[in-house]
Amino acid sequence: MPTVSVERSALFAHLGRTYTDEEFDELCFEFGVELDEITSEKEEATKSATVKLSKDQLASLSEEVIYKIDVPANRYDLLCIEGISRSLRVFLGDIDAPNFTILPASDEASSTMTVIQSSTSTVRPFVVCAILRDVTFDEARYQSFIELQDQLHRNLCRLRTLVAIGTHDLDSVKGPFTYDARAPADIKFVPLTHTDEGREFDGASLMECYETDAACKHLKPYVPIIKNSPLYPVVLDSEETVMSLPPIINGSKSRITLDTKNVFIECTATDLTKANIVLDTVVAMFSEYAANPFSVEPVTVNYVNESQEVVNSYISPQMFTRKETATVKFVNSLIGINVEAEKMVELCSKIQLGPAQLLPGTTEDEGPILEVTVPPTRSDILHAVDIAEDIGIAFGYNNIERKVPQTCTVGGEQPLNQLSDLLREEIARAGYIEVLTHGLCSINDNFTALGKPITAAVSLSNPANIEYQVVRTTLLPGLLKTLQHNKSSSFTGGFKLFEISDVVLPDDKYVMTETIVGAKNARRACATYSGPTSGFEVIHGLVDRIMTLCEVAPEADYVASSGNAYKKVHCKEGWYYNIRELKDVDVRTYFPGRAAEVLLTSPSTGGKQVVIGTFGILHPDVLGYFDINYPTSALELELDYMF
């Protein structure tokens, strides 16, 4: 959860009220946030184990009380003192939620941003902009303006990788503006960090400076985002003045000061949806300081191709309000209250979801439907559950009566999970070490490395890297990688590993809650033995042990081939298993002639014999791919059929 630090006196001035620390803590609880800590600048410096200050430095620090407030990660409107105080005042009924107005553009040149699509598409393809007119800054407002941008960069913007915010003094530059991407050597400007000395950098030298200069260490984490790109994104005015080099730094010429009246905001991004949310949030928070409060001027963004033809265009900011619905019955049921529909409409005003209204339900049993108005600051409202949560806050957690549940149920493990837990204990007692490996792997690891043909698998549309391309269809690669990374362990007496977990298999007929999801989970048990010898007999013994534990009897011909080794134990009626040689020529996972498959006949298979697993000595090619130096045998069984 993000933590917002605000001075107590400033917060109370915004609220127009004062509270004791205990009273404010209770107010935070009622509103759905948490007062995490009460501290001061001096107290923080005294407690710090890394920052050591002299007595004179400590004496210069403020003793002003600071509230550290934890806010929900999806409430971007609460990341500054303006948002917190406004929301609390609406919650307390002191003010109504503001209505935001998009005014006509007063200057066409300043209200146009041209995007060179052919170049920017390779680095940060999107930009959205807005203009705040006649804003009045003081020191506190200016600091809050900067802190909101920092909070958004850390949270929604994912450290500027998704969105980077640039704010500029509109009167110091000339529109129309251009968003382009150019070679680092062609970008020359005085960055904001070197305003005092007026030193000019090109793009490449600036990256080097930020990587090595201790005075600019706060910008070092962002350098890798664009450093190795052949083109750097850049925002320019009509005179080719560099306004910003996103996502790194703004230019010195367009810097905002306490005297700034007109603010130009640009957000460059790799995700247009998040860019719009960020821009709407900044505008919503600081448009209250405009001469016409809660108003903003739009900017037209035009994307042009190499022939300077407009191929796409939109106006930002969006500042959309939208309608969402939830049935009154659903809200009451989810929270555990019984609020009249008309009262629920009133509660919506406390949580900035008004004006709300009641609509007739489609059926008599459904009851009335609550329709709320979601402001541009509430991008977190996505579902009826979100509406119910906020109404619960407006109603008051402390006002919800404690009740004994009307249903009486007895909890218990799912049979498959119970079987898995019991097998884990028994396999561990047999000397195997349990591991837990990644559910994602590469196509190569999942198929090619195991000597299998590439078949259908649930794949990721945007994998983070080549190691996470598909959801695994077998547990074996994970165990083999574990062996690969444990070469320093002793293999003299055999190295045994096992895992019981899920794989995901494509299935166009599998239905979950009346929906064909196209895939299904399958529970599997996988084990390996690696040592001076192949250990085929060890893995074979584990197969028999698992079947005995599951009370599955061997078939007569399998018993006959075992001589006098088999001792009859209690087994479930109608459950039998057999072992036969694996002859699938398409699978080269195992050494030829040294592999077998496990067949099960049971009521769960409809009395038919089905293959539920394989085991054998792994092929040298498989061992070579995973860089395993010892002969290895492996087993993989499906557990879904075993109960």
Side-chain angles (χ1 to χ4, degrees):
M1 295 175 67
T3 300
V4 182
S5 299
V6 295
E7 291 187 356
R8 182 175 63 182
S9 59
L11 178 60
F12 289 173
H14 276 270
L15 292 175
R17 303 181 180 211
T18 59
Y19 297 88
T20 64
D21 292 340
E22 292 76 15
E23 289 171 341
F24 187 73
D25 188 17
E26 181 64 22
L27 175 62
C28 287
F29 172 79
E30 292 175 359
F31 182 62
V33 298
E34 180 182 355
L35 179 58
D36 181 57
E37 187 180 0
I38 302 172
T39 183
S40 68
E41 190 179 46
K42 178 177 284 188
E43 186 178 343
E44 286 287 292
T46 305
K47 290 190 301 184
S48 175
T50 56
V51 180
K52 302 298 181 183
L53 302 178
S54 65
K55 290 184 178 180
D56 291 340
Q57 289 174 319
L58 283 173
S60 65
L61 296 178
S62 171
E63 295 186 18
E64 172 71 36
V65 175
I66 295 174
Y67 283 160
K68 290 192 172 184
I69 303 172
D70 286 343
V71 302
N74 59 355
R75 286 297 302 269
Y76 312 118
D77 58 316
L78 301 180
L79 292 176
C80 61
I81 190 173
E82 288 78 10
I84 293 174
S85 59
R86 185 189 305 163
S87 297
L88 286 174
R89 292 180 70 192
V90 172
F91 180 73
L92 294 168
D94 293 346
I95 61 171
D96 294 327
N99 292 316
F100 299 98
T101 305
I102 297 182
L103 303 173
S106 58
D107 178 13
E108 184 177 351
S110 299
S111 301
T112 304
M113 170 69 78
T114 301
V115 182
I116 311 302
Q117 189 175 38
S118 58
S119 57
T120 57
S121 61
T122 63
V123 277
R124 299 176 76 83
F126 305 112
V127 64
V128 291
C129 311
I131 296 173
L132 297 179
R133 293 280 184 186
D134 296 322
V135 177
T136 302
F137 280 113
D138 57 26
E139 186 64 37
R141 293 175 181 179
Y142 177 80
Q143 288 301 324
S144 181
F145 190 53
I146 300 301
E147 288 169 7
L148 173 61
Q149 295 175 59
D150 289 341
Q151 286 280 10
L152 288 169
H153 279 149
R154 282 194 295 269
N155 295 282
L156 178 59
C157 301
R158 296 292 186 271
L159 296 176
R160 306 190 189 182
T161 56
L162 298 182
V163 186
I165 310 166
T167 54
H168 311 275
D169 186 336
L170 183 60
D171 297 326
S172 65
V173 290
K174 293 182 179 180
F177 305 105
T178 302
Y179 176 46
D180 197 1
R182 299 180 178 179
D186 296 336
I187 302 172
K188 297 181 180 180
F189 71 112
V190 178
L192 191 60
T193 50
H194 292 74
T195 298
D196 293 340
E197 58 187 278
R199 181 182 172 188
E200 185 177 84
F201 292 83
D202 64 23
S205 62
L206 187 61
M207 296 301 104
E208 293 295 329
C209 174
Y210 286 161
E211 279 190 319
T212 57
D213 190 347
C216 303
K217 62 181 180 180
H218 61 291
L219 295 172
K220 184 177 179 179
Y222 311 122
V223 171
I225 299 174
I226 63 168
K227 183 182 178 183
N228 295 324
S229 172
L231 301 176
Y232 287 0
V234 60
V235 178
L236 310 110
D237 72 353
S238 60
E239 297 180 343
E240 290 287 297
T241 300
V242 174
M243 297 167 61
S244 71
L245 181 72
I248 310 299
I249 193 68
N250 288 349
S252 173
K253 183 177 180 180
S254 62
R255 68 187 182 279
I256 289 180
T257 67
L258 297 183
D259 297 325
T260 296
K261 302 301 293 182
N262 300 310
V263 179
F264 182 82
I265 307 168
E266 42 87 5
C267 298
T268 59
T270 57
D271 186 318
L272 183 58
T273 300
K274 286 183 171 55
N276 281 314
I277 293 173
V278 169
L279 182 64
D280 286 355
T281 301
V282 175
V283 168
M285 294 304 102
F286 285 89
S287 58
E288 71 173 75
Y289 298 134
N292 185 357
F294 306 112
S295 65
V296 60
E297 285 189 16
V299 174
T300 301
V301 181
N302 296 319
Y303 289 77
V304 299
N305 59 19
E306 294 178 352
S307 302
Q308 296 301 304
E309 298 172 339
V310 177
V311 294
N312 187 24
S313 181
Y314 52 77
I315 295 174
S316 63
Q318 294 179 332
M319 302 303 287
F320 289 154
T321 58
R322 52 193 168 88
K323 303 292 184 180
E324 296 288 346
T325 60
T327 64
V328 172
K329 183 178 179 180
F330 171 78
V331 173
N332 279 328
S333 173
L334 192 65
I335 303 171
I337 57 178
N338 187 21
V339 175
E340 295 293 331
E342 291 74 16
K343 176 65 175 177
M344 204 172 283
V345 171
E346 296 176 11
L347 292 176
C348 289
S349 298
K350 294 182 65 175
I351 47 178
Q352 301 185 63
L353 294 182
Q357 63 175 338
L358 295 173
L359 304 176
T362 54
T363 64
E364 185 177 342
D365 183 61
E366 184 182 43
I369 297 174
L370 178 69
E371 183 185 71
V372 302
T373 303
V374 182
T377 53
R378 296 301 306 275
S379 60
D380 59 300
I381 303 294
L382 302 173
H383 189 272
V385 170
D386 301 314
I387 298 173
E389 178 189 9
D390 273 23
I391 289 188
I393 292 172
F395 181 79
Y397 294 140
N398 292 330
N399 296 326
I400 301 174
E401 294 182 14
R402 294 185 178 184
K403 297 179 182 178
V404 177
Q406 296 179 353
T407 56
C408 182
T409 60
V410 178
E413 269 192 302
Q414 292 283 354
L416 180 58
N417 292 337
Q418 186 179 33
L419 173 64
S420 300
D421 289 341
L422 291 172
L423 284 177
R424 286 188 181 101
E425 293 182 13
E426 292 296 335
I427 296 174
R429 288 191 182 101
Y432 289 80
I433 300 170
E434 185 177 13
V435 299
L436 182 64
T437 58
H438 290 296
L440 301 176
C441 62
S442 68
I443 294 175
N444 202 35
D445 288 347
N446 196 71
F447 297 107
T448 310
L450 298 180
K452 296 180 179 180
I454 297 176
T455 56
V458 177
S459 60
L460 277 67
S461 60
N462 57 339
N465 57 58
I466 197 172
E467 292 293 319
Y468 305 111
Q469 293 176 311
V470 296
V471 184
R472 62 187 177 187
T473 61
T474 170
L475 299 178
L476 191 53
L479 293 187
L480 297 181
K481 282 198 167 185
T482 304
L483 286 173
Q484 180 186 15
H485 288 89
N486 284 273
K487 293 180 182 178
S488 60
S489 300
S490 174
F491 286 75
T492 305
F495 194 67
K496 301 177 180 178
L497 298 175
F498 84 98
E499 179 176 10
I500 296 179
S501 192
D502 281 4
V503 299
V504 177
L505 306 174
D507 189 336
D508 293 334
K509 297 180 181 179
Y510 182 67
V511 176
M512 176 69 72
T513 61
E514 301 181 358
T515 302
I516 297 176
V517 295
K520 67 177 181 180
N521 280 33
R523 184 67 51 84
R524 298 222 179 141
C526 188
T528 60
Y529 175 92
S530 187
T533 62
S534 65
F536 180 83
E537 70 283 357
V538 178
I539 288 295
H540 191 168
L542 181 61
V543 173
D544 291 333
R545 177 61 177 160
I546 291 174
M547 290 302 178
T548 301
L549 291 169
C550 294
E551 300 181 341
V552 181
E555 291 186 359
D557 59 335
Y558 179 48
V559 173
S561 66
S562 302
N564 298 322
Y566 177 67
K567 302 296 182 183
K568 189 174 182 179
V569 296
H570 170 74
C571 294
K572 295 179 287 188
E573 186 176 353
W575 289 72
Y576 300 98
Y577 78 98
N578 205 342
I579 306 291
R580 74 182 179 197
E581 184 180 352
L582 177 63
K583 295 183 178 180
D584 190 346
V585 295
D586 292 331
V587 177
R588 294 180 52 82
T589 305
Y590 301 109
F591 201 86
R594 296 293 184 271
E597 53 189 4
V598 184
L599 300 101
L600 177 70
T601 305
S602 71
S604 67
T605 65
K608 297 179 180 179
Q609 195 175 59
V610 298
V611 177
I612 64 166
T614 60
F615 66 96
I617 302 172
L618 294 179
H619 196 284
D621 291 345
V622 175
L623 298 179
Y625 177 83
F626 288 99
D627 196 21
I628 298 172
N629 300 325
Y630 291 90
T632 302
S633 293
L635 152 73
E636 188 160 20
L637 285 178
E638 294 191 34
L639 299 183
D640 297 89
Y641 294 103
M642 302 298 288
F643 61 93

